[in-house]
Amino acid sequence: MNVRAEKVRKEFDRFPALHDVSLDIHSGELIALLGPSGSGKTTLLRLIAGLERPTSGRILFGDEDASDKSVQERNIGFVFQHYALFRHMNILENVSFGLKVRPRAKRPAAAEIRRRAMELLDLVQLSGLEKRFPSQLSGGQRQRVALARALAIEPRVLLLDEPFGALDAQVRRELRKWLREIHDRTGHTTVFVTHDQEEALELADRLCVMSQGRIEQVGTPDAVYDTPASPFVFGFIGESSRLPVTVENGGVQLAGQKLDLAAPDATGAGQLFFRPHDVELVEGNTALGGAVVASRRVGGTRRLEIELSHSSHRVEIDLPFDHPAAERSRIGFRPRRWRLYPAS
Ligand code: ATP
């Protein structure tokens, strides 16, 4: 099922939580809404669900305008961070609930409901626990039950709002892989809200990066990481250093020093971004260089913090942990991959 937000605006007491946002969600894809706290991710998800009405704009399911349809009519599956299971129902009853409460005409027979619920418990790898109550499960198991319950109604769209947010890092990583596998098997159109970029990069087919009620960029994890559309996206996804520069005669300068970086199409004040691992060591007066003020080992790499000689800015670069240069007190380098944006 394709879902489309068309110029959707949402105000709460005149405060615009979303500014005319448009997004095409493709049938069968897993898309992550990613952004800092307050960027509007949950609001967009709730509008898709029908839990909120847009102030203006439309939500389309396929070609059909769903703006006035209720949550039930939209046939949405939900999993929230704290979407408590029904405590007085066992796991099987929890998963069966959505089917049991259907109007008689649409309700499958009891045996069929049980069969489907057992099948889903098998899918989420909880067979054998169907008689347990939620309090007898771990947090990760509860979220798997929540997913089975959401899938039971055969939703047209699955909406997940920080479903693993309350779990510890190890369990999160396992559930992430597991969710991706389930998605590949079931093929539901899935919208996943997270503020965890690692989770989004690993899990999603496409990312929708949001900031302050606007969409900054939509694209595959590779496209967003390699060609960030704005300084915000560059700074938010992955690690980066930012330097205020000027461009004169097609060359980038930092504090009056010419760097070996050509920017033929730019002019005036700009912001130079690069990632710590996208640098090469060089010497000479067009190199960026300065004093190593901190050095620490992170897994297979050594992260150096460098205070630049020509400006007091500090930047970070990565070297292999056993690189001889990591012992030096001064280092010269140039970014191999970088992007320039106009000064803000
Ligand atoms: P988080 O990651 O913290 O959940 P988010 O990106 O999901 O953040 P939203 O919950 O969509 O952000 O909120 C976007 C903005 O809208 C915030 O400034 C928030 O305070 C505001 N907002 C959200 N819901 C309401 C509401 N019911 N009434 C008033 N303001 C709201």
Side-chain angles (χ1 to χ4, degrees), residues 1-4 25 42 44-53 59-62 64 66-67 69-80 83 97-99 101-102 146-161 188-192:
M1 169 68 55
N2 287 304
V3 179
R4 178 189 297 171
I25 299 167
T42 296
L44 181 54
L45 199 76
R46 290 174 62 83
L47 284 160
I48 295 170
L51 292 164
E52 302 280 358
R53 292 285 145 99
I59 303 287
L60 296 155
F61 277 48
E64 181 190 9
S67 305
K69 294 223 152 106
S70 69
V71 180
Q72 285 73 22
E73 286 168 327
R74 292 184 197 201
N75 197 23
I76 300 280
F78 280 114
V79 182
F80 295 131
Y83 193 33
F97 179 79
L99 294 173
V101 296
R102 276 195 181 161
L147 185 69
R149 183 171 66 176
L151 291 171
I153 59 162
E154 296 179 326
R156 295 199 291 180
V157 179
L158 191 58
L159 303 180
L160 311 172
D161 194 352
H188 282 92
T189 307
T190 303
V191 188
F192 185 98

Side-chain angles (χ1 to χ4, degrees), residues 12-13 15 17 35-44 52 161-162 193 195:
F12 293 106
D13 301 328
F15 170 82
S37 185
S39 54
K41 310 178 294 290
T42 296
T43 302
L44 181 54
E52 302 280 358
D161 194 352
E162 302 259 6
V193 164
H195 62 260

Side-chain angles (χ1 to χ4, degrees), residues 103-148:
R104 187 176 288 263
K106 289 189 176 169
R107 193 188 317 152
E112 172 60 13
I113 292 180
R114 186 186 161 80
R115 192 195 61 75
R116 258 201 237 171
M118 294 298 278
E119 203 175 272
L120 282 164
L121 283 174
D122 189 38
L123 181 75
V124 301
Q125 295 161 4
L126 289 176
S127 297
L129 300 188
E130 57 272 13
K131 294 220 172 84
R132 290 224 195 145
F133 285 84
S135 61
Q136 297 170 311
L137 298 182
S138 70
Q141 288 172 329
R142 272 185 232 150
Q143 286 308 72
R144 288 196 262 155
V145 175
L147 185 69

Side-chain angles (χ1 to χ4, degrees), residues 189-206:
T189 307
T190 303
V191 188
F192 185 98
V193 164
T194 181
H195 62 260
D196 179 340
Q197 47 158 306
E198 198 187 309
E199 189 160 271
L201 286 165
E202 191 175 316
L203 194 58
D205 296 313
R206 289 194 307 154

